[in-house]
Amino acid sequence: MTNSNTNTTNKKQMLIGLAMFGAAGLNFKSWLDPKVNLKEYPDISIDIRAAQLAEKGKFQFMFFGDFPAIKGNDNSDMQTMGLDPLLIATILGHNTSRIGMGITRAISWSNPYELARQFKTLDSLTKGRVAWNAVTGANGTSAQAYGVNLSPSFDRYAKANEFTEAVQELWASWSEDALKLNHATREFADYSKVKSVDIKGDYIETSGTLPIPPSKQGQPVIFHSGGSENSIAYAGKYADVFVGEVWTIEQGKVMRNALRQAAIDNGRNPDDIKFIAGLIPLLGDSKKAALDRHASFMDSKTLFQRIAHISYVLGVQFTPADIDKPISSEILDSVKVNLYSDPRLENVIKVAREGWTLREIVHHSVIDYHPTAVGTAQDIAEYMISWVEGGGADGFWVMPDVYDVDLPRFVDEVVPILQERGVFHKDYEGTTLRENLGIAYQYGVDNRIKK
Ligand SMILES: Cc1cc2nc3c(=O)[nH]c(=O)nc-3n(C[C@H](O)[C@H](O)[C@H](O)COP(=O)(O)O)c2cc1C
């Protein structure tokens, strides 16, 4: 579906999502930013402002992680991803009208009927704007809190397959023409077209009917995040979107190609699966200004922990005297990158070769969960374009340090450049998440992958 505002160039279009943490931003110290001025916790007005800004920037989706456990080992750390994301998304869905929401729920500690019901409810009420980020969940603390034992990877994914199909069958309990809403005939629904789902698998048992007709996009989209070969095989069957963790274009390319191949192996079209890389944009009037801002959130404990890690990955023992010096080219030339290296090592070397000091290298967040793009809006736009053009990603989930400060800049400065360059849409293509992601309508389990 297209409209008059849709981009008409032949350039590959990127997808953009906003990471939602149920906090003041990605940074654990985000609440300390003077512009945040947090007076209560939690404060949903921050999430609402962020969601509306992302919608103003035409982001296709928000992405909610879920780590139901206490976090932070420093008294100045804010809690992140601790609030229930489905409940936050319910509020945000009501305060937005076009942007989609990919919400994580871990299979290891969920019940398929409850999950199917919750996601279908929200998908219906938001008129087709919801995705379930189906992760197996490998977090021991969360598992313990739910009183479950984590199985080895193979079993987790065997259960995930059964669980996902059960959820999708429940989502399709109603024939697409079962809902009538016919005042003249007084017929609300034709219940002969509503079926019961009866599953007795190795891991899942459910026998019931979901009392919810098809949503505007049929049923929620499936996102998936993981790291193993089992995860890629799972995504090849079920995922429309894979939310990943890679640090270089080359790594992204390998992951994206593996996912595309996994889709082909399951009788799907490789374009049916979108690979989304993480991105921490450090945006400033100059590279140095962007780094200084990010550095202002980094305490000395983090600085020294990260120096210790850089020291470990480079195989070099640094002393306090080295902190404000660049790393010598002899050291950098001697480092060997191989299959077993920390995947962030290449970025450590790349930034070090630009001549930054050890302290500044840390300020680039080269040792972080996701890669950073550092500099002006133009630099960040170029970074994003190079990934998509280089085949490293179909889009990004963007993690601003502080929503109230860094997100407005991203929306007002980076997005227009991407639009101008013809690589990001100027308006939503449709009203559902599927339409805006360019994913086909689906109802029930995808027939192509049925064994
Ligand atoms: C980008 C990304 C985001 C993730 N988000 C979550 C999350 O929000 N909650 C969760 O329990 N697990 C999350 N996971 C972890 C997965 O559940 C998965 O178990 C873990 O990556 C181990 O990979 P594997 O299951 O393929 O071995 C995430 C993983 C990745 C790569």
Side-chain angles (χ1 to χ4, degrees):
M1 186 190 276
T2 55
N3 67 23
S4 56
N5 289 313
T6 308
N7 210 294
T8 50
T9 69
N10 290 327
K11 288 190 182 153
K12 184 171 161 46
Q13 298 296 294
M14 67 173 72
L15 302 169
I16 304 184
L18 175 67
M20 301 302 288
F21 300 104
L26 161 73
N27 208 296
F28 289 145
K29 323 284 185 205
S30 55
W31 68 282
L32 288 168
D33 189 297
K35 293 213 173 97
V36 173
N37 197 17
L38 197 73
K39 294 279 190 339
E40 58 178 9
Y41 173 78
D43 180 357
I44 190 70
S45 70
I46 294 177
D47 307 70
I48 294 173
R49 276 196 298 280
Q52 291 176 340
L53 256 177
E55 189 165 73
K56 177 185 164 213
K58 311 297 177 195
F59 287 25
Q60 281 87 355
F61 65 96
M62 294 180 267
F63 174 68
F64 300 73
D66 187 25
F67 285 96
I70 191 89
K71 278 162 279 332
N73 49 13
D74 185 298
N75 281 353
S76 66
D77 286 350
M78 185 173 193
Q79 284 304 305
T80 65
M81 290 187 278
L83 299 168
D84 189 321
L86 253 173
L87 301 181
I88 300 179
T90 304
I91 297 173
L92 299 189
H94 192 63
N95 282 277
T96 52
S97 61
R98 299 301 273 279
I99 191 167
M101 301 184 287
I103 306 146
T104 304
R105 264 293 193 267
I107 288 167
S108 297
W109 47 84
S110 292
N111 171 286
Y113 188 84
E114 185 183 37
L115 188 144
R117 181 170 177 242
Q118 290 173 327
F119 277 80
K120 189 79 185 287
T121 299
L122 192 56
D123 194 38
S124 299
L125 296 180
T126 58
K127 305 202 185 328
R129 292 193 285 134
V130 166
W132 168 34
N133 184 36
V135 299
T136 59
N139 181 276
T141 322
S142 302
Q144 250 175 24
Y146 281 94
V148 299
N149 293 318
L150 282 181
S151 319
S153 174
F154 181 83
D155 291 326
R156 274 192 285 127
Y157 279 96
K159 177 177 175 184
N161 288 357
E162 251 184 36
F163 192 113
T164 307
E165 293 196 13
V167 166
Q168 292 187 324
E169 286 198 30
L170 285 164
W171 281 342
S173 293
W174 292 47
S175 287
E176 281 151 298
D177 60 348
L179 181 69
K180 301 294 181 194
L181 278 181
N182 187 329
H183 287 258
T185 61
R186 297 174 60 84
E187 195 184 23
F188 177 77
D190 176 354
Y191 290 111
S192 69
K193 294 185 169 174
V194 176
K195 69 176 193 316
S196 172
V197 170
D198 205 4
I199 294 169
K200 281 196 176 50
D202 294 332
Y203 303 87
I204 301 298
E205 272 197 27
T206 177
S207 187
T209 304
L210 213 58
I212 312 172
S215 75
K216 207 154 171 230
Q217 60 172 357
Q219 64 192 24
V221 171
I222 301 282
F223 282 23
H224 175 65
S225 306
S228 57
E229 282 179 17
N230 294 329
S231 155
I232 291 173
Y234 170 91
K237 287 194 177 77
Y238 308 106
D240 305 298
V241 172
F242 189 100
V243 178
E245 194 177 30
V246 284
W247 287 268
T248 65
I249 296 179
E250 205 43 50
Q251 291 165 15
K253 216 164 152 179
V254 170
M255 189 66 136
R256 181 168 176 267
N257 287 341
L259 288 162
R260 290 171 68 80
Q261 186 56 48
I264 294 169
D265 294 344
N266 283 286
R268 299 171 67 203
N269 184 319
D271 291 333
D272 288 352
I273 183 161
K274 317 287 182 193
F275 178 63
I276 307 295
L279 169 64
I280 304 176
L282 306 184
L283 174 55
D285 292 335
S286 67
K287 228 174 193 188
K288 188 75 176 80
L291 282 181
D292 288 347
R293 168 162 174 75
H294 189 58
S296 69
F297 298 113
M298 219 180 260
D299 53 30
S300 54
K301 187 172 153 196
T302 310
L303 176 74
F304 288 114
Q305 273 170 353
R306 291 187 176 182
I307 288 178
H309 193 80
I310 291 176
S311 167
Y312 169 74
V313 295
L314 292 181
V316 180
Q317 199 54 51
F318 293 113
T319 69
D322 297 321
I323 292 179
D324 290 304
K325 290 191 212 145
I327 302 175
S328 74
S329 49
E330 292 77 56
I331 290 181
L332 296 174
D333 289 344
S334 69
V335 177
K336 297 210 172 14
V337 182
N338 62 40
L339 207 59
Y340 306 102
S341 301
D342 184 318
R344 298 168 293 194
L345 177 57
E346 286 167 64
N347 282 344
V348 173
I349 295 171
K350 183 167 160 273
V351 172
R353 285 208 190 278
E354 290 172 13
W356 301 93
T357 66
L358 188 50
R359 184 192 301 273
E360 289 164 337
I361 294 169
V362 173
H363 293 166
H364 277 78
S365 266
V366 281
I367 301 300
D368 214 326
Y369 293 114
H370 296 281
T372 53
V374 188
T376 62
Q378 191 69 42
D379 294 328
I380 294 185
E382 296 298 346
Y383 172 98
M384 295 171 80
I385 292 168
S386 67
W387 271 68
V388 172
E389 283 182 351
D394 297 300
F396 303 89
W397 53 299
V398 172
M399 291 162 261
D401 264 335
V402 181
Y403 291 126
D404 279 340
V405 180
D406 301 294
L407 182 60
R409 287 199 69 168
F410 188 93
V411 168
D412 293 339
E413 299 176 36
V414 181
V415 168
I417 299 174
L418 298 172
Q419 290 170 328
E420 200 52 41
R421 293 280 291 272
V423 294
F424 187 58
H425 67 179
K426 291 188 172 143
D427 201 358
Y428 290 105
E429 286 74 13
T431 59
T432 67
L433 179 57
R434 283 180 192 279
E435 287 170 308
N436 293 322
L437 292 173
I439 290 171
Y441 177 89
Q442 187 180 333
Y443 198 57
V445 178
D446 187 341
N447 285 326
R448 294 173 297 182
I449 59 132
K450 271 196 170 159
K451 290 129 261 173

